[in-house]
Amino acid sequence: TFLGAAPIFSSFALAIAALNLPLPIFAGACAMLMLSIAIAHNLSRARARLERRVRELHSLATIGQAVADSLELSEVLQAIHQQTQQLMDARNFYIALYDENERRINFPLAYENAERVAYTSRLFGEGFAEYIILSRQPLLIKGGMQEFTRQIGQPAADPNVRSWLGVPIAVGENVLGVIVVQSRERADSYDESHRDILISIAAQAATAIRNSQLYMSLRHQTSSLYIMNSVLTAINSTLRLDEVLNIIVTSLPHVMGCQKAAIYLADDTGRTA
């Protein structure tokens, strides 16, 4: 603060002294004043960069803590969004996860104008998310969204989006999905520094998401084995066909993840009922 105000006081003092100073001394004083202004400006910029870097490191540490403390995907993703919005405009934000087996893009977390929204999953096709997944590279669009989409052969972008930034969430060569921020307010909302910090956040997210997915898969398998064991125990405890069929039908939705189940038995003529 003192260094920032010093040039102002120096300018005032110099203006008063200029009336009585010889020209060489006045010129030297002016040079010193300009030097002090330059130093103050550089110190201010250095301080701003340092403060930003501290915020970035704090956010990365917080995400890392979320990775260590929770295996629930929803909690991990929420922590990622909370820390991202500390570092850049994340009022319009989403995380898209790629299901390679079903060739589908899912959206477990999305915000529009700082409000939580739900996006419908879609088959893998065309779009910026798919473009990043295939290229395994970040995508920064500072402005001219429509022109850029035409250049890379993508469908028309949302006309309300002014700037867009997305990075892959990857573990090795395997891309799990993307993290995206976008601005509807103005172009040039994001630059290379935002891209780099979002890449760092995505690296933390990748570990958390993969661990969470493995945990959820293991929990589902354990639950399915428990249900199947319970079904076998119940079946072995009765000889009544109707009870056996009812046990099987009511258990299938829990094991298979389906909404309805039915068993059809063929009679002696081959017809089912």
Side-chain angles (χ1 to χ4, degrees):
T1 302
F2 174 76
L3 286 174
I8 298 176
F9 292 111
S10 299
S11 299
F12 181 72
L14 186 60
I16 296 174
L19 298 174
N20 301 315
L21 286 177
L23 183 59
I25 297 178
F26 177 71
C30 288
M32 292 296 296
L33 176 61
M34 295 299 295
L35 179 61
S36 66
I37 293 174
I39 292 174
H41 177 67
N42 289 335
L43 287 174
S44 177
R45 293 180 59 184
R47 179 180 178 181
R49 288 195 299 268
L50 179 60
E51 290 176 347
R52 179 174 178 174
R53 186 55 180 163
V54 169
R55 290 196 302 270
E56 291 173 355
L57 292 174
H58 173 73
S59 295
L60 291 175
T62 302
I63 294 173
Q65 190 64 44
V67 173
D69 291 346
S70 177
L71 288 172
E72 293 293 338
L73 183 61
S74 59
E75 295 180 4
V76 170
L77 299 184
Q78 196 63 53
I80 292 169
H81 173 251
Q82 290 174 353
Q83 296 309 312
T84 300
Q85 67 182 354
Q86 301 296 321
L87 302 171
M88 64 190 74
D89 181 3
R91 287 172 294 174
N92 296 285
F93 169 98
Y94 66 82
I95 293 178
L97 298 181
Y98 175 44
D99 187 331
E100 188 173 8
N101 293 328
E102 296 188 5
R103 294 283 293 176
R104 180 171 290 274
I105 301 289
N106 301 306
F107 301 90
L109 185 66
Y111 282 85
E112 287 187 1
N113 297 319
E115 296 292 334
R116 181 78 180 266
V117 296
Y119 288 167
T120 303
S121 65
R122 67 171 187 253
L123 290 175
F124 191 90
E126 294 182 320
F128 287 155
E130 286 89 338
Y131 183 85
I132 292 174
I133 291 170
L134 291 174
S135 67
R136 295 185 173 89
Q137 297 296 322
L139 181 60
L140 171 61
I141 309 174
K142 297 181 179 181
M145 290 285 295
Q146 303 304 324
E147 177 61 26
F148 186 85
T149 56
R150 285 192 292 269
Q151 290 177 0
I152 64 175
Q154 290 292 318
D158 183 346
N160 296 319
V161 175
R162 306 290 303 279
S163 52
W164 197 94
L165 171 61
V167 301
I169 304 170
V171 177
E173 295 298 317
N174 185 23
V175 179
L176 306 179
V178 299
I179 299 178
V180 172
V181 291
Q182 48 191 348
S183 174
R184 300 175 184 270
E185 303 297 326
R186 62 184 181 85
D188 296 313
S189 292
Y190 310 107
D191 57 25
E192 286 73 14
S193 64
H194 294 112
R195 179 199 61 197
D196 293 344
I197 187 59
L198 199 60
I199 289 173
S200 297
I201 291 174
Q204 295 272 23
T207 302
I209 291 170
R210 171 48 60 88
N211 289 343
S212 179
Q213 289 176 335
L214 292 175
Y215 168 71
M216 295 298 292
S217 176
L218 179 61
R219 190 167 70 174
H220 177 72
Q221 292 176 15
T222 302
S223 177
S224 298
L225 289 173
Y226 174 79
I227 294 173
M228 292 173 65
N229 182 65
S230 300
V231 170
L232 291 174
T233 301
I235 290 174
N236 290 330
S237 66
T238 181
L239 295 177
R240 291 174 56 87
L241 179 60
D242 58 338
E243 291 183 4
V244 171
L245 296 179
N246 183 63
I247 292 171
I248 295 174
V249 169
T250 55
S251 301
L252 279 176
H254 300 287
V255 177
M256 304 298 295
C258 57
Q259 294 182 341
K260 296 180 180 180
I263 296 178
Y264 295 91
L265 299 178
D267 59 18
D268 293 338
T269 65
R271 291 181 300 177
T272 59

